[in-house]
Amino acid sequence: MVKVLQSDGQAHRLDALLALFKTKWPDFESSLTGERFPSPLLLLAASDRLAGGLSFTTALLPDPAMEAVWINAVMVLPEFQRRGFASKLINLGCATANAFGTDRLFVYTDVPDLYIKLGWREVSRDEGGHVYTRVFG
């Protein structure tokens, strides 16, 4: 059984999530918690083993120059991939951001098909990836 839960009050799991993100992105240095964005989501497998997660951050939009909430990282361990867990994390991330008071969410990604499938709209692209947004309500 796999479950997704909020990381609030689980500092030990945040350290594990940061270590997990660094296995894919060694330069990942973002804070996983902050007052301007929701707490990360954790994907836990049997025996509460960390199987993945999603984190948020804030960054400026290029036009107009205003701060927005972004999905910072989504990762699922290889043995749990191809089962819809990344989609589940992203959809629950949308609900979490909306409940946090955010009216839209952004992501910069190199896997645009995943976000298109989930109803996100492309905002821009460059040689490294695509910016997508999801508007709530």
Side-chain angles (χ1 to χ4, degrees):
M1 180 179 115
V2 176
K3 60 186 174 186
V4 177
L5 55 100
Q6 291 268 315
S7 61
D8 295 332
Q10 301 190 44
H12 66 289
R13 290 210 171 119
L14 288 178
D15 291 339
L17 183 61
L18 182 58
L20 181 66
F21 287 159
K22 286 186 175 207
T23 64
K24 184 167 183 165
W25 305 287
D27 296 333
F28 191 94
E29 292 297 331
S30 179
S31 173
L32 295 180
T33 59
E35 293 180 6
R36 297 185 328 255
F37 52 89
S39 297
L41 299 176
L42 303 168
L43 181 67
L44 300 178
S47 303
D48 285 343
R49 175 180 170 228
L50 185 64
L54 178 148
S55 69
F56 301 92
T57 192
T58 56
L60 291 178
L61 295 174
D63 185 32
M66 60 183 259
E67 190 173 74
V69 177
W70 294 68
I71 289 179
N72 193 25
V74 179
M75 184 174 176
V76 176
L77 288 174
E79 61 265 36
F80 296 95
Q81 292 176 1
R82 314 287 317 154
R83 298 193 222 170
F85 295 131
S87 295
K88 185 173 186 171
L89 282 166
I90 293 165
N91 285 332
L92 288 172
C94 289
T96 300
N98 192 11
F100 187 77
T102 302
D103 63 352
R104 63 185 179 163
L105 190 58
F106 292 86
V107 67
Y108 181 76
T109 183
D110 60 355
V111 288
D113 291 345
L114 173 61
Y115 291 89
I116 291 168
K117 177 182 82 171
L118 297 174
W120 289 60
R121 183 181 56 81
E122 185 177 65
V123 174
S124 66
R125 71 172 71 181
D126 61 26
E127 57 279 344
H130 304 252
V131 174
Y132 282 86
T133 190
R134 180 80 183 267
V135 178
F136 311 121

